[in-house]
Amino acid sequence: MHFEIIGSDPAKLRGYYGELFDWEFQMGDAVTEKVSQPGLYGFVDGSTTGEGDGINGGIGGGQGHERRVLFYVGVPDVESVLQQAESLGGRRLMGPEPKSGDFTVGHFIDPEGNVIGVAGPSA
């Protein structure tokens, strides 16, 4: 449903991937400051990439954000999926965030140490 590339210098990352893949960015804020510093998140519209059938994404981060590449899976209930991920041997890192609004996200670590995102409507 969505990918993210997070680093300490989001502008440099946007320049790199913009030139590499001809991506264009709409600047804004991530759904939570835990994902990216305000104003440093660049959204990529999947309909403008490749053959027009890519997934939406974003590049963000900033000072204090660990670098990572992350994909999000669309789910109907973020909290229940995070609970299930934990019951299967994973570990919750974040979420659901934000606590209000129409859209929420969460992160968990799978049993092999990979960070995965889930996103969906707020409960």
Side-chain angles (χ1 to χ4, degrees), residues 21-105:
F21 297 126
D22 292 325
W23 289 351
E24 295 180 12
F25 300 93
Q26 294 247 346
M27 297 306 297
D29 292 334
V31 70
T32 175
E33 289 183 28
K34 292 180 181 177
V35 171
S36 181
Q37 286 183 292
L40 297 183
Y41 198 83
F43 292 91
V44 178
D45 182 347
S47 68
T48 65
T49 62
E51 300 291 320
D53 56 359
I55 65 170
N56 297 331
I59 295 181
Q63 189 174 28
H65 291 272
E66 290 186 39
R67 62 182 180 261
R68 66 179 182 269
V69 174
L70 181 67
F71 70 88
Y72 286 83
V73 177
V75 298
D77 184 339
V78 170
E79 176 59 32
S80 67
V81 171
L82 290 172
Q83 288 177 10
Q84 184 176 14
E86 290 174 308
S87 74
L88 294 171
R91 184 168 55 91
R92 182 188 309 231
L93 290 178
M94 178 189 86
E97 292 282 339
K99 300 297 184 196
S100 63
D102 297 332
F103 188 74
T104 188
V105 298

